[in-house]
Amino acid sequence: QVELVESGGGSVQAGGTLRLSCSIDGRLYSSNCLGWVRQTPGKERAGVASVYTGARLTYYDDSVRGRFTISQDDARNTIYLEMNSLTPQDTATYLCVAQRRAQGVSCSSLASLREEGIYHFGQGTQVTVSA
């Protein structure tokens, strides 16, 4: 059983900032694609950002590029999502993901982040942005 544990969600006004954290199972952290997806009721999960930890390569969905930053802390096996200039459209449950070993799917494929056959998922943390 792998563990991905998110924290840091909450409620904020539009224009505000939140930072999400995800503690990643040590078996999945190194040289792997990790990231964040978000989901709202009635909508499909959507890839938000990803990082390939082996080379610190990062990828962003157009909807968050320039506002969100994904980062990694190798000493803590943890990734972060710094979210700035939040809007009500960012309201969602944010889930941390880690690619299953031996999948070989490019970290640049944000669409694949939502696939349970490719990624392990955390339980999620709620982010609510009010106008």
Side-chain angles (χ1 to χ4, degrees), residues 3-22:
E3 285 196 346
L4 289 77
V5 182
E6 303 100 333
S7 61
S11 297
V12 65
Q13 289 191 320
T17 295
L18 282 174
R19 190 174 85 150
L20 308 182
S21 302
C22 181

Side-chain angles (χ1 to χ4, degrees), residues 9-120:
S11 297
V12 65
Q13 289 191 320
T17 295
L18 282 174
R19 190 174 85 150
L20 308 182
S21 302
C22 181
S23 176
I24 306 284
D25 189 302
R27 293 169 290 179
L28 294 173
Y29 183 85
S30 63
S31 298
N32 198 13
C33 185
L34 312 174
W36 296 90
V37 300
R38 62 186 179 186
Q39 185 167 26
T40 54
K43 289 189 175 181
E44 201 173 37
R45 286 173 182 165
V48 174
S50 63
V51 57
Y52 179 69
T53 57
R56 297 181 177 266
L57 294 172
T58 58
Y59 305 91
Y60 297 94
D61 185 75
D62 287 345
S63 64
V64 306
R65 186 175 290 111
R67 299 188 299 123
F68 290 12
T69 301
I70 189 169
S71 61
Q72 63 190 81
D73 183 337
D74 296 343
R76 292 182 168 82
N77 286 358
T78 298
I79 62 169
Y80 303 95
L81 187 67
E82 177 91 7
M83 305 185 294
N84 298 310
S85 302
L86 285 161
T87 74
Q89 287 69 40
D90 295 315
T91 295
T93 299
Y94 285 72
L95 302 99
C96 175
V97 300
Q99 193 170 119
R100 297 176 184 271
R101 287 300 187 185
Q103 291 295 311
V105 177
S106 173
C107 206
S108 64
S109 174
L110 292 178
S112 70
L113 294 182
R114 63 174 182 254
E115 301 295 336
E116 293 189 13
I118 298 173
Y119 285 88
H120 296 283

